[in-house]
Amino acid sequence: MAVACASPEQKVERYTDSGLEFLEAEEFGKANIQFRNALKIDEEHVPALLGLYRVIKRQEDPQQMFGILSEIARLDPQNLESRIDLAKLLLLSGDETAALERTEEAIALDEQSAEAIGVKSAILFRLGDRTEAVRLARAALDIDRGVQEAATVVAADLIIDERYDDAVDAIDATLEANPDAAVLHLLRLQILKNLERGEDIEAAYAALIEQFPDEPAYRRLYVSSLYRQERYDEARVQLVEIVKLLPKDADAHIDLVRFDQTTDGPDKARATLAAYVAERPDFVELKFRFAAYLRSIEDNAAARRAYDEIIEQTDENDIELRAKNEIAGMLLASGDRAQGEALLDEILEQDDRNTAALSKAAGLKLLDGDPEGAVNDLRIVIADAEDSSRARVLMATAYERLGESASAQSQYTEAFDSTDDKPAVGREFAKFLVRQGDFDRAETILTEALSVSPTDEENLKLLAGVRLRKQDWRGAQETAELIAEAGDSDGVVNRILGAAYTGLEDYAGAIEALERINAEGALSISPLSTLVNAYVKGGRVDDAERLLKDKIDDESNPYAALLLLAQVYGSQNRPEAAKESLRDAIDLDAERPQAYERLYQIYLAEGRRTDAQTIIEQGLAASPRNDGLKVLRADMHLSSGEFEDALKIYEDILSRRPSDILVSNNYAALVSDLRNDQASLDRAVEVASILADSDNAAFLDTYGWALVQAGRLAEGIDVLDRAVGAAPTFPDALYHLGAAQLRADDPSGRDTLARAIEVARDVRPDIAEKAEALLNQ
């Protein structure tokens, strides 16, 4: 009532005085309200701004702190505190120049301000002026022994000179005057650890916690130290205290649960979490964590009961839907799709923009081969969700299946840039890039992901694979060594080293690494192939043949070994032995295509076209749905001039595999040259559109020429220009670009055709002849 009857000025003063009283009593929430009430009346009232700043300072919100301090400095040029604290914030942000300006302003206000001089010493030390920094720091400490910035500079200077005991003494002197200097406590601890002074370290932790009993971060540091010493009981005491300090922090509870699981097993961990849930029935987030923990130990029945209990006890729609989403996830993971889908439908009936349910529904649509439906759901998720990185990864998967690789890459980029889980998202992004053949970008993404989690074994393996594909043998070798340091849980290091040493032509090193794997157990096909290759290139063909024959004798199905043996015979120029080995592989497993394909290539090399055709027909008789063999049959038709027969084969494959890049290229190229009806030419463009984002000049040439033939001249010229840019001496692209330019009445087409004739004359006389004929016209 008194405030209500007062003048505005009186109200401001009373609100401010009340806020200061609450601040003194450490009732920061109430203080915050009172200072803001004062500022609603007078937004430039400096005492209220200072009070609000001191509240926010405890919350450690640098952005708000900087804004309020800047306002105080503007309104009250004589305010020393604002200048000093602004300098500290600017120093923390890395802006030493601006920090130094604010410090000079503070010293101009009070030349004997020990704190201002101490901050200036810290800035100069950061800038590399060590001598002046130490002089100023000692001057500040002469004025006030408790200035932590000055003591930090003095201690850092002593540490550089390896005078560690003197640094500890300097810190102790300041802590005696200013025991709240947390930075000095932590610096002192680090020095004691380096000196391995165990008893002093314990005393330092005790002093830190005694001085800051309500600060959980310092107790967590102590827990880490105790855990390393296997002093588990004492560590647990500290974790329990942290939970008491943070009764509404689910992570604090889960830290204790994980600790119990590690030290005493899942039963103890479960009992700990159950006790906290029972003790705090209104702590809903903890109930969700309890259910998640039950799922992690595969007690799905108990987890389901926990989620059902959450639903029964809540009257909040968001909490109910969250629990139902978790149940739906459990049902789907267990294979009960019908119930899981029914629950998702129920959720979406209540909330048609529920992001968790829509994400799951999109995943199901991807499984069902409906990427367009998945995209529609995920657009809503990305628009509404606070963290949409996982949804963007799903969206990228959907776009990739639709053949829209540029859109897929855009989604992966957005997901990777915005996520807090760079290792997992980076892994999926890198796999996509590998599928696209962009190994340089894949390496960049994996390197960035590994900077966040350097021992992520899966990403290290993927990086090694990328470097092997790039033939960066030394880089692959270095990555293998990192995997070894990370643990190498499945013996992959020697396989990588074997491939890397082979690439470096260090065949002895490759053989040594791969023989280590072979000594531990039978080599799988990839390292076996690498070892055989190393034997052959290292001049030890007999060892390669002996290894493979032993494997053939020992295995029940040595199909892969027979293929490798044929390869060894080929390297020895023993074609009959190679063919015999391949026939043995066909007899062993008639449905596998590789032996047929290799026999086909041998027959073609020998000029035995009839035998080549026969072996393909034999393979298709045994495996009539094998598309690889069908492509070879199409090749035979093409070489015989049976173009329509080849097209029928391509159309059949594309009806089932519309994203097959090679078949799409062959089909579009053939139609563009063979047919002239608009429907066929439009179909060629549609099929070839999958090649639009390629960096491969041959694929771009096919797509560009298809556009030209379909009458889309300007678009076609643009794509053909890209093809020539990617491969300036590629005869086909030069010929097609020149022809297209002439159709567009562009006289530069003559120069392009002349270049085509020049580069094609010796390597592609057919192209040179066509270009000359066109020029003559």
Side-chain angles (χ1 to χ4, degrees):
M1 287 177 64
V3 169
C5 296
S7 68
E9 292 79 8
Q10 290 173 318
K11 290 179 181 179
V12 169
E13 292 300 330
R14 288 176 183 173
Y15 279 132
T16 302
D17 290 344
S18 174
L20 291 171
E21 290 174 10
F22 284 129
L23 190 62
E24 182 70 23
E26 297 189 357
E27 294 186 50
F28 302 109
K30 294 178 181 178
N32 181 54
I33 292 169
Q34 295 299 73
F35 290 132
R36 290 187 185 277
N37 283 337
L39 292 167
K40 285 178 184 176
I41 301 170
D42 181 0
E43 63 182 18
E44 295 188 347
H45 189 61
V46 171
L49 282 168
L50 272 170
L52 182 60
Y53 164 69
R54 288 164 188 158
V55 171
I56 292 171
K57 187 175 180 180
R58 292 190 62 85
Q59 298 170 348
E60 297 182 356
D61 184 339
Q63 190 169 356
Q64 281 199 69
M65 289 163 62
F66 186 84
I68 295 173
L69 285 173
S70 299
E71 186 69 2
I72 294 169
R74 181 184 70 82
L75 294 169
D76 183 3
Q78 301 302 309
N79 188 278
L80 183 65
E81 179 184 352
S82 65
R83 296 299 192 285
I84 294 173
D85 281 8
L86 268 174
K88 291 178 183 179
L89 282 175
L90 290 164
L91 180 61
L92 283 173
S93 69
D95 189 349
E96 291 88 357
T97 302
L100 193 58
E101 289 177 7
R102 299 291 86 74
T103 309
E104 296 289 10
E105 291 170 1
I107 293 172
L109 291 172
D110 181 358
E111 293 181 356
Q112 293 299 305
S113 170
E115 191 174 9
I117 297 168
V119 173
K120 183 177 179 180
S121 75
I123 297 168
L124 293 177
F125 196 85
R126 174 85 67 84
L127 291 170
D129 188 352
R130 182 178 163 191
T131 302
E132 180 63 9
V134 172
R135 186 191 71 78
L136 285 174
R138 294 192 182 280
L141 292 171
D142 286 342
I143 299 169
D144 180 352
R145 196 69 211 166
V147 179
Q148 71 172 357
E149 290 81 10
T152 302
V153 168
V154 170
D157 180 63
L158 293 167
I159 290 168
I160 291 171
D161 292 338
E162 299 184 4
R163 295 168 57 189
Y164 301 112
D165 290 322
D166 290 340
V168 171
D169 291 341
I171 291 169
D172 285 344
T174 297
L175 285 175
E176 186 177 345
N178 180 11
D180 289 335
V183 170
L184 294 179
H185 281 282
L186 297 172
L187 180 57
R188 185 176 185 275
L189 256 171
Q190 189 57 53
I191 298 169
L192 293 173
K193 288 178 185 177
N194 292 342
L195 294 173
E196 298 182 353
R197 286 165 51 175
E199 291 184 8
D200 290 336
I201 292 170
E202 287 302 308
Y205 273 119
L208 183 63
I209 290 168
E210 182 181 356
Q211 190 64 35
F212 304 99
D214 297 333
E215 179 49 70
Y218 301 146
R219 292 184 185 271
R220 288 192 174 106
L221 284 174
Y222 192 25
V223 168
S224 298
S225 174
L226 293 168
Y227 189 86
R228 285 192 296 271
Q229 299 173 63
E230 299 184 3
R231 294 164 58 184
Y232 301 130
D233 291 342
E234 295 167 78
R236 193 178 192 280
V237 168
Q238 294 301 324
L239 287 168
V240 170
E241 287 301 315
I242 292 170
V243 171
K244 290 178 182 177
L245 290 170
L246 302 170
K248 297 182 180 179
D249 187 329
D251 288 332
H253 293 74
I254 296 303
D255 285 343
L256 176 57
V257 171
R258 290 194 186 110
F259 180 87
D260 282 347
Q261 170 128 356
T262 302
T263 55
D264 293 304
D267 290 342
K268 175 65 180 292
R270 180 172 181 163
T272 297
L273 191 48
Y276 278 124
V277 170
E279 180 184 323
R280 296 165 189 173
D282 295 331
F283 196 169
V284 176
E285 182 59 34
L286 196 59
K287 290 181 179 180
F288 276 106
R289 294 296 190 93
F290 183 39
Y293 176 75
L294 292 170
R295 289 170 68 179
S296 74
I297 60 174
E298 299 182 358
D299 190 347
N300 290 333
R304 175 65 187 266
R305 288 194 298 273
Y307 287 129
D308 286 338
E309 186 177 309
I310 292 172
I311 294 169
E312 289 167 11
Q313 293 178 353
T314 188
D315 55 3
E316 295 184 33
N317 191 49
D318 288 348
I319 293 172
E320 178 186 339
L321 293 182
R322 178 181 171 187
K324 286 182 176 179
N325 261 304
E326 296 296 342
I327 295 170
M330 286 176 59
L331 291 168
L332 294 171
S334 67
D336 189 348
R337 176 163 175 172
Q339 283 199 57
E341 223 168 346
L343 190 52
L344 288 178
D345 290 341
E346 182 182 320
I347 294 166
L348 292 170
E349 191 173 334
Q350 290 179 255
D351 176 8
D352 62 359
R353 296 184 72 90
N354 187 280
T355 55
L358 285 169
S359 293
K360 293 181 180 69
L364 292 174
K365 287 174 181 175
L366 283 174
L367 285 174
D368 293 341
D370 180 15
E372 289 184 0
V375 167
N376 291 334
D377 287 344
L378 291 166
R379 284 195 178 117
I380 298 172
V381 176
I382 290 169
D384 292 357
E386 290 183 13
D387 177 11
S388 62
S389 58
R390 297 310 304 176
R392 287 187 182 280
V393 170
L394 275 177
M395 179 81 96
T397 304
Y399 276 134
E400 185 179 6
R401 293 186 184 175
L402 288 167
E404 299 178 25
S405 55
S407 296
Q409 182 158 331
S410 174
Q411 291 298 323
Y412 274 122
T413 301
E414 289 279 353
F416 187 70
D417 289 345
S418 64
T419 188
D420 291 330
D421 189 6
K422 287 198 183 294
V425 175
R427 186 178 309 125
E428 297 306 314
F429 191 5
K431 288 178 181 177
F432 164 80
L433 292 167
V434 167
R435 291 192 294 274
Q436 296 295 308
D438 190 348
F439 301 116
D440 288 337
R441 183 85 190 280
E443 182 176 20
T444 300
I445 293 298
L446 287 168
T447 302
E448 189 173 340
L450 285 163
S451 70
V452 176
S453 180
T455 59
D456 188 307
E457 199 172 322
E458 290 304 309
N459 281 346
L460 285 169
K461 290 175 188 174
L462 192 52
L463 178 60
V466 167
R467 287 176 169 171
L468 288 173
R469 294 283 291 272
K470 290 177 64 180
Q471 298 187 7
D472 177 6
W473 313 119
R474 193 66 67 191
Q477 178 189 350
E478 291 169 359
T479 308
E481 290 164 359
L482 291 174
I483 296 171
E485 291 175 12
D488 188 21
S489 59
D490 56 4
V492 74
V493 168
N494 284 320
R495 294 199 290 275
I496 298 168
L497 289 175
Y501 286 139
T502 300
L504 291 166
E505 299 184 7
D506 179 2
Y507 301 117
I511 290 166
E512 180 183 349
L514 293 165
E515 284 181 339
R516 281 198 293 269
I517 306 174
N518 204 32
E520 296 166 4
L523 285 165
S524 62
I525 181 58
S526 179
L528 175 66
S529 175
T530 306
L531 179 53
V532 167
N533 189 36
Y535 276 140
V536 171
K537 291 188 174 181
R540 295 171 57 179
V541 179
D542 291 343
D543 287 332
E545 187 174 348
R546 188 180 308 110
L547 172 68
L548 290 169
K549 285 183 174 179
D550 287 345
K551 197 165 184 67
I552 290 166
D553 290 340
D554 292 343
E555 289 193 351
S556 59
N557 188 344
Y559 186 91
L562 286 165
L563 295 184
L564 286 172
L565 185 58
Q567 182 181 319
V568 170
Y569 288 142
S571 72
Q572 296 175 294
N573 197 24
R574 296 168 59 188
E576 295 306 317
K579 285 184 277 191
E580 182 181 351
S581 184
L582 292 170
R583 290 190 195 101
D584 288 343
I586 290 170
D587 291 341
L588 185 68
D589 191 341
E591 293 186 4
R592 294 176 69 172
Q594 294 91 337
Y596 296 110
E597 292 171 358
R598 295 194 187 181
L599 265 175
Y600 168 83
Q601 298 296 341
I602 292 173
Y603 285 138
L604 279 186
E606 293 176 341
R608 297 166 59 180
R609 294 184 53 79
T610 302
D611 290 334
Q613 186 166 351
T614 300
I615 199 66
I616 291 303
E617 297 304 328
Q618 181 185 340
L620 283 168
S623 183
R625 295 182 60 81
N626 187 279
D627 288 334
L629 294 174
K630 288 182 180 181
V631 169
L632 295 181
R633 178 191 270 173
D635 287 347
M636 294 297 299
H637 286 312
L638 289 174
S639 64
S640 302
E642 299 163 345
F643 302 124
E644 290 297 334
D645 290 331
L647 277 175
K648 287 177 183 176
I649 292 172
Y650 293 144
E651 285 167 350
D652 170 56
I653 295 172
L654 288 171
S655 68
R656 287 174 282 101
R657 294 168 54 191
S659 298
D660 188 309
I661 291 178
L662 184 60
V663 173
S664 297
N665 178 79
N666 292 356
Y667 175 86
L670 193 55
V671 169
S672 298
D673 287 336
L674 191 64
R675 296 180 179 172
N676 54 22
D677 64 287
Q678 193 61 45
S680 294
L681 296 173
D682 288 342
R683 171 63 177 156
V685 170
E686 179 189 351
V687 169
S689 62
I690 195 174
L691 312 173
D693 296 321
S694 174
D695 294 327
N696 183 295
F699 291 160
L700 289 172
D701 173 56
T702 296
Y703 181 48
W705 188 239
L707 287 165
V708 169
Q709 293 291 73
R712 295 161 63 175
L713 199 56
E715 294 174 72
I717 289 172
D718 285 344
V719 176
L720 289 168
D721 199 42
R722 284 170 54 206
V724 171
T729 60
F730 182 32
D732 299 69
L734 284 167
Y735 168 69
H736 287 145
L737 177 60
Q741 288 169 331
L742 288 182
R743 287 193 199 180
D745 295 325
D746 181 351
S748 63
R750 297 184 60 82
D751 294 333
T752 307
L753 287 174
R755 284 170 54 207
I757 294 166
E758 182 182 349
V759 301
R761 197 180 306 279
D762 296 328
V763 292
R764 287 290 305 279
D766 58 319
I767 293 289
E769 185 178 337
K770 288 164 68 175
E772 285 176 346
L774 191 55
L775 272 178
N776 290 334
Q777 289 176 22

